[in-house]
Amino acid sequence: MAPGPSGLTPVYTHRAKSAEKVVALTFDADMTADQGPRAASGEHFDNPELIATLRRLKVDATVFMTGRWAEEYPDQAKSIGNDPRFEIANHSYSHYAFATPCYGLPTVAGPDQAADVQRAFDSFRDAGAVNVVPYFRFPGGCYDDAALRALAPVGVTAVQWDVVSGDAFAKDADAVAEQVLDGVKPGSLVVMHCTRSAAPVTERAIRRIVPELRARGYRFVKVSELMSH
Ligand SMILES: [Zn+2]
């Protein structure tokens, strides 16, 4: 999308009034810049079972990856970013907040925000990811006009969502699945997570969501296809 009036980064949420039963599942691969020690002590910020299940079920999807995640899991970033089923979008390098308040996340100062996003793109390239798209999801979904203005030179489209899966810190896969199944409409964009640490039931929820939406006639698309209308 082209920059909007007054030089603000454009914001996309979903395909409105879609005549076609399409839905975009998006997965945030979260890891903050200060979580290296936790990963080193055995915490799993990745979710290879989830990626394997998406492949097995032949579900196209968009992964909003932090640069720090790509540094921690370069082989997975490369594999996801070379599989035509997936595209990698940008979820910042640090996963710090671009506007406050934002769930208590540390903050990236305005003058450093564009560089933080660019650094994530650099991490994807360093990992060998190829299918990288110019979309950006604000950490926590938190943004304001100042952040939209700060990122305008980077040339990304900010991507939010119209369906919250509620998978963050969820323990009940069926509750997550039902929230998604209740919320999806033609053209919806769903936010989920690709990190076992903070979203442990997402893979199980996907095993129920995918067949049920297909039975209703839905087709799974990447954000780039959803946006191409
Ligand atoms: Zn996130």
Side-chain angles (χ1 to χ4, degrees), residues 29-31 35 38-40 42-48 65-80 127 194-197:
D30 286 355
M31 181 169 173
Q35 285 175 329
R38 282 167 57 178
E43 192 166 336
H44 294 291
F45 295 91
D46 61 342
N47 195 341
M65 190 179 287
T66 69
R68 184 63 188 85
W69 194 100
E71 281 183 1
E72 188 71 23
Y73 307 108
D75 294 347
Q76 293 183 58
K78 181 179 183 181
S79 172
I80 294 166
C194 177
T195 168
R196 274 175 287 174
S197 170

Short mmCIF file of all heavy atoms in Angstrom, two decimals, residues 29-31 35 38-40 42-48 65-80 127 194-197:
data_model
loop_
_atom_site.label_atom_id
_atom_site.label_comp_id
_atom_site.label_asym_id
_atom_site.label_seq_id
_atom_site.Cartn_x
_atom_site.Cartn_y
_atom_site.Cartn_z
N ALA A 29 6.01 -14.58 15.49
CA ALA A 29 7.15 -15.30 16.07
C ALA A 29 7.86 -14.32 16.99
O ALA A 29 8.76 -13.59 16.60
CB ALA A 29 8.08 -15.80 14.96
N ASP A 30 7.40 -14.32 18.24
CA ASP A 30 7.85 -13.33 19.22
C ASP A 30 9.13 -13.78 19.90
O ASP A 30 9.25 -14.92 20.34
CB ASP A 30 6.80 -13.16 20.33
CG ASP A 30 5.57 -12.38 19.88
OD1 ASP A 30 5.55 -11.88 18.74
OD2 ASP A 30 4.63 -12.29 20.69
N MET A 31 10.05 -12.85 20.02
CA MET A 31 11.15 -13.00 20.97
C MET A 31 11.68 -11.59 21.16
O MET A 31 11.94 -10.89 20.18
CB MET A 31 12.24 -13.92 20.42
CG MET A 31 13.40 -14.10 21.40
SD MET A 31 14.51 -15.43 20.90
CE MET A 31 15.79 -15.19 22.14
N GLN A 35 15.57 -11.51 25.72
CA GLN A 35 15.21 -12.88 26.11
C GLN A 35 16.26 -13.92 25.75
O GLN A 35 16.00 -15.12 25.92
CB GLN A 35 13.84 -13.25 25.50
CG GLN A 35 12.68 -12.57 26.24
CD GLN A 35 11.33 -12.81 25.60
OE1 GLN A 35 11.24 -12.96 24.38
NE2 GLN A 35 10.28 -12.84 26.40
N ARG A 38 16.99 -16.41 28.50
CA ARG A 38 15.92 -17.38 28.72
C ARG A 38 15.97 -18.48 27.67
O ARG A 38 15.74 -19.66 27.97
CB ARG A 38 14.57 -16.67 28.72
CG ARG A 38 14.30 -15.94 30.03
CD ARG A 38 13.14 -14.99 29.97
NE ARG A 38 11.88 -15.62 29.57
CZ ARG A 38 10.71 -14.97 29.49
NH1 ARG A 38 10.66 -13.68 29.78
NH2 ARG A 38 9.62 -15.61 29.12
N ALA A 39 16.26 -18.11 26.43
CA ALA A 39 16.39 -19.13 25.37
C ALA A 39 17.57 -20.04 25.68
O ALA A 39 17.51 -21.26 25.51
CB ALA A 39 16.55 -18.45 24.01
N ALA A 40 18.66 -19.43 26.17
CA ALA A 40 19.86 -20.21 26.48
C ALA A 40 19.60 -21.20 27.61
O ALA A 40 20.22 -22.27 27.67
CB ALA A 40 21.01 -19.27 26.86
N GLY A 42 16.85 -22.81 28.00
CA GLY A 42 15.97 -23.88 27.56
C GLY A 42 14.55 -23.48 27.21
O GLY A 42 13.75 -24.33 26.83
N GLU A 43 14.21 -22.20 27.32
CA GLU A 43 12.84 -21.78 26.95
C GLU A 43 12.70 -21.77 25.42
O GLU A 43 13.60 -21.34 24.71
CB GLU A 43 12.57 -20.38 27.52
CG GLU A 43 11.11 -20.00 27.43
CD GLU A 43 10.79 -18.78 28.30
OE1 GLU A 43 11.53 -18.52 29.29
OE2 GLU A 43 9.80 -18.10 28.00
N HIS A 44 11.56 -22.28 24.93
CA HIS A 44 11.35 -22.41 23.48
C HIS A 44 10.50 -21.27 22.95
O HIS A 44 9.29 -21.24 23.16
CB HIS A 44 10.67 -23.74 23.16
CG HIS A 44 11.50 -24.93 23.47
ND1 HIS A 44 12.63 -25.25 22.75
CD2 HIS A 44 11.38 -25.87 24.44
CE1 HIS A 44 13.17 -26.35 23.26
NE2 HIS A 44 12.44 -26.75 24.28
N PHE A 45 11.13 -20.35 22.24
CA PHE A 45 10.39 -19.27 21.61
C PHE A 45 9.95 -19.67 20.20
O PHE A 45 9.21 -18.94 19.53
CB PHE A 45 11.24 -17.99 21.59
CG PHE A 45 11.52 -17.49 22.98
CD1 PHE A 45 12.66 -17.89 23.66
CD2 PHE A 45 10.62 -16.66 23.62
CE1 PHE A 45 12.91 -17.45 24.95
CE2 PHE A 45 10.85 -16.22 24.91
CZ PHE A 45 12.00 -16.62 25.58
N ASP A 46 10.40 -20.81 19.72
CA ASP A 46 10.00 -21.31 18.40
C ASP A 46 8.85 -22.30 18.56
O ASP A 46 8.45 -22.62 19.68
CB ASP A 46 11.19 -21.98 17.71
CG ASP A 46 11.71 -23.18 18.50
OD1 ASP A 46 11.40 -23.30 19.71
OD2 ASP A 46 12.42 -24.01 17.93
N ASN A 47 8.31 -22.75 17.42
CA ASN A 47 7.25 -23.77 17.46
C ASN A 47 7.29 -24.61 16.18
O ASN A 47 6.45 -24.47 15.30
CB ASN A 47 5.87 -23.12 17.64
CG ASN A 47 4.82 -24.14 18.04
OD1 ASN A 47 5.01 -25.34 17.85
ND2 ASN A 47 3.70 -23.68 18.58
N PRO A 48 8.31 -25.48 16.07
CA PRO A 48 8.46 -26.26 14.83
C PRO A 48 7.28 -27.19 14.55
O PRO A 48 6.96 -27.43 13.37
CB PRO A 48 9.75 -27.06 15.05
CG PRO A 48 10.18 -26.84 16.46
CD PRO A 48 9.43 -25.68 17.01
N MET A 65 7.76 -12.13 12.05
CA MET A 65 8.92 -12.61 12.79
C MET A 65 9.72 -11.43 13.36
O MET A 65 9.89 -10.42 12.67
CB MET A 65 9.80 -13.42 11.81
CG MET A 65 10.94 -14.21 12.44
SD MET A 65 11.83 -15.13 11.13
CE MET A 65 10.66 -16.44 10.73
N THR A 66 10.19 -11.59 14.59
CA THR A 66 11.13 -10.57 15.08
C THR A 66 12.54 -10.93 14.59
O THR A 66 12.88 -12.10 14.39
CB THR A 66 11.15 -10.46 16.62
OG1 THR A 66 11.71 -11.63 17.20
CG2 THR A 66 9.75 -10.22 17.18
N GLY A 67 13.35 -9.89 14.44
CA GLY A 67 14.73 -10.12 14.05
C GLY A 67 15.48 -10.94 15.08
O GLY A 67 16.32 -11.78 14.75
N ARG A 68 15.14 -10.73 16.36
CA ARG A 68 15.81 -11.49 17.42
C ARG A 68 15.48 -12.97 17.31
O ARG A 68 16.33 -13.82 17.59
CB ARG A 68 15.39 -10.92 18.79
CG ARG A 68 16.11 -11.56 19.97
CD ARG A 68 17.61 -11.32 19.93
NE ARG A 68 18.33 -12.09 20.94
CZ ARG A 68 18.75 -13.36 20.78
NH1 ARG A 68 18.51 -14.01 19.64
NH2 ARG A 68 19.39 -13.98 21.75
N TRP A 69 14.23 -13.29 16.91
CA TRP A 69 13.82 -14.69 16.71
C TRP A 69 14.65 -15.30 15.58
O TRP A 69 15.15 -16.44 15.69
CB TRP A 69 12.32 -14.72 16.40
CG TRP A 69 11.63 -16.06 16.48
CD1 TRP A 69 10.87 -16.51 17.52
CD2 TRP A 69 11.58 -17.09 15.48
NE1 TRP A 69 10.36 -17.75 17.23
CE2 TRP A 69 10.78 -18.14 15.99
CE3 TRP A 69 12.13 -17.24 14.20
CZ2 TRP A 69 10.52 -19.32 15.29
CZ3 TRP A 69 11.88 -18.42 13.49
CH2 TRP A 69 11.09 -19.45 14.04
N ALA A 70 14.78 -14.56 14.47
CA ALA A 70 15.54 -15.08 13.33
C ALA A 70 17.00 -15.32 13.70
O ALA A 70 17.63 -16.26 13.21
CB ALA A 70 15.44 -14.11 12.15
N GLU A 71 17.54 -14.50 14.59
CA GLU A 71 18.92 -14.71 15.05
C GLU A 71 19.03 -15.96 15.91
O GLU A 71 20.03 -16.68 15.86
CB GLU A 71 19.38 -13.50 15.88
CG GLU A 71 19.80 -12.32 15.05
CD GLU A 71 20.32 -11.18 15.92
OE1 GLU A 71 20.37 -11.32 17.16
OE2 GLU A 71 20.64 -10.14 15.34
N GLU A 72 18.00 -16.20 16.72
CA GLU A 72 18.03 -17.37 17.62
C GLU A 72 17.81 -18.67 16.85
O GLU A 72 18.37 -19.70 17.20
CB GLU A 72 16.95 -17.20 18.70
CG GLU A 72 17.00 -18.24 19.81
CD GLU A 72 18.21 -18.04 20.73
OE1 GLU A 72 18.73 -16.92 20.80
OE2 GLU A 72 18.62 -19.04 21.37
N TYR A 73 16.96 -18.60 15.82
CA TYR A 73 16.56 -19.80 15.07
C TYR A 73 16.80 -19.60 13.57
O TYR A 73 15.86 -19.65 12.77
CB TYR A 73 15.08 -20.11 15.33
CG TYR A 73 14.73 -20.19 16.80
CD1 TYR A 73 13.98 -19.20 17.42
CD2 TYR A 73 15.15 -21.28 17.58
CE1 TYR A 73 13.66 -19.27 18.77
CE2 TYR A 73 14.84 -21.36 18.93
CZ TYR A 73 14.10 -20.35 19.52
OH TYR A 73 13.78 -20.41 20.85
N PRO A 74 18.05 -19.38 13.17
CA PRO A 74 18.31 -19.05 11.76
C PRO A 74 17.91 -20.16 10.79
O PRO A 74 17.46 -19.87 9.68
CB PRO A 74 19.82 -18.77 11.74
CG PRO A 74 20.36 -19.45 12.96
CD PRO A 74 19.27 -19.38 13.99
N ASP A 75 18.07 -21.43 11.21
CA ASP A 75 17.70 -22.51 10.30
C ASP A 75 16.19 -22.52 10.04
O ASP A 75 15.74 -22.75 8.91
CB ASP A 75 18.14 -23.87 10.87
CG ASP A 75 19.65 -23.99 10.94
OD1 ASP A 75 20.35 -23.14 10.32
OD2 ASP A 75 20.15 -24.92 11.62
N GLN A 76 15.42 -22.28 11.09
CA GLN A 76 13.96 -22.23 10.91
C GLN A 76 13.55 -20.99 10.11
O GLN A 76 12.65 -21.07 9.27
CB GLN A 76 13.26 -22.22 12.27
CG GLN A 76 13.44 -23.53 13.03
CD GLN A 76 12.66 -23.52 14.34
OE1 GLN A 76 11.45 -23.34 14.35
NE2 GLN A 76 13.35 -23.71 15.45
N ALA A 77 14.20 -19.87 10.36
CA ALA A 77 13.87 -18.66 9.59
C ALA A 77 14.16 -18.90 8.11
O ALA A 77 13.38 -18.51 7.23
CB ALA A 77 14.68 -17.48 10.11
N LYS A 78 15.27 -19.57 7.84
CA LYS A 78 15.62 -19.86 6.44
C LYS A 78 14.62 -20.81 5.82
O LYS A 78 14.18 -20.62 4.67
CB LYS A 78 17.03 -20.46 6.38
CG LYS A 78 17.50 -20.76 4.97
CD LYS A 78 18.91 -21.33 4.97
CE LYS A 78 19.39 -21.56 3.54
NZ LYS A 78 20.75 -22.13 3.51
N SER A 79 14.24 -21.85 6.56
CA SER A 79 13.31 -22.84 6.04
C SER A 79 11.93 -22.23 5.77
O SER A 79 11.34 -22.45 4.71
CB SER A 79 13.20 -23.99 7.05
OG SER A 79 12.19 -24.89 6.68
N ILE A 80 11.43 -21.45 6.72
CA ILE A 80 10.14 -20.79 6.52
C ILE A 80 10.23 -19.81 5.35
O ILE A 80 9.34 -19.74 4.50
CB ILE A 80 9.72 -20.05 7.82
CG1 ILE A 80 9.44 -21.05 8.94
CG2 ILE A 80 8.50 -19.15 7.57
CD1 ILE A 80 9.34 -20.42 10.34
N ALA A 127 19.83 -14.70 7.71
CA ALA A 127 19.44 -16.10 7.92
C ALA A 127 19.24 -16.83 6.59
O ALA A 127 19.16 -18.05 6.57
CB ALA A 127 18.15 -16.17 8.75
N CYS A 194 3.53 -17.99 16.95
CA CYS A 194 4.42 -19.11 16.65
C CYS A 194 5.53 -19.12 17.68
O CYS A 194 6.68 -18.81 17.40
CB CYS A 194 4.99 -18.98 15.23
SG CYS A 194 6.15 -20.28 14.79
N THR A 195 5.15 -19.40 18.91
CA THR A 195 6.12 -19.48 20.00
C THR A 195 5.55 -20.36 21.11
O THR A 195 4.54 -20.02 21.71
CB THR A 195 6.51 -18.07 20.52
OG1 THR A 195 7.21 -18.22 21.75
CG2 THR A 195 5.30 -17.19 20.75
N ARG A 196 6.17 -21.51 21.31
CA ARG A 196 5.66 -22.44 22.33
C ARG A 196 5.64 -21.80 23.70
O ARG A 196 4.76 -22.07 24.52
CB ARG A 196 6.56 -23.69 22.39
CG ARG A 196 6.20 -24.76 21.40
CD ARG A 196 7.22 -25.89 21.47
NE ARG A 196 8.50 -25.48 20.87
CZ ARG A 196 9.60 -26.24 20.89
NH1 ARG A 196 9.59 -27.42 21.48
NH2 ARG A 196 10.69 -25.82 20.30
N SER A 197 6.64 -20.96 23.96
CA SER A 197 6.80 -20.36 25.27
C SER A 197 5.54 -19.62 25.71
O SER A 197 5.06 -19.80 26.82
CB SER A 197 7.98 -19.39 25.21
OG SER A 197 8.06 -18.62 26.36
#
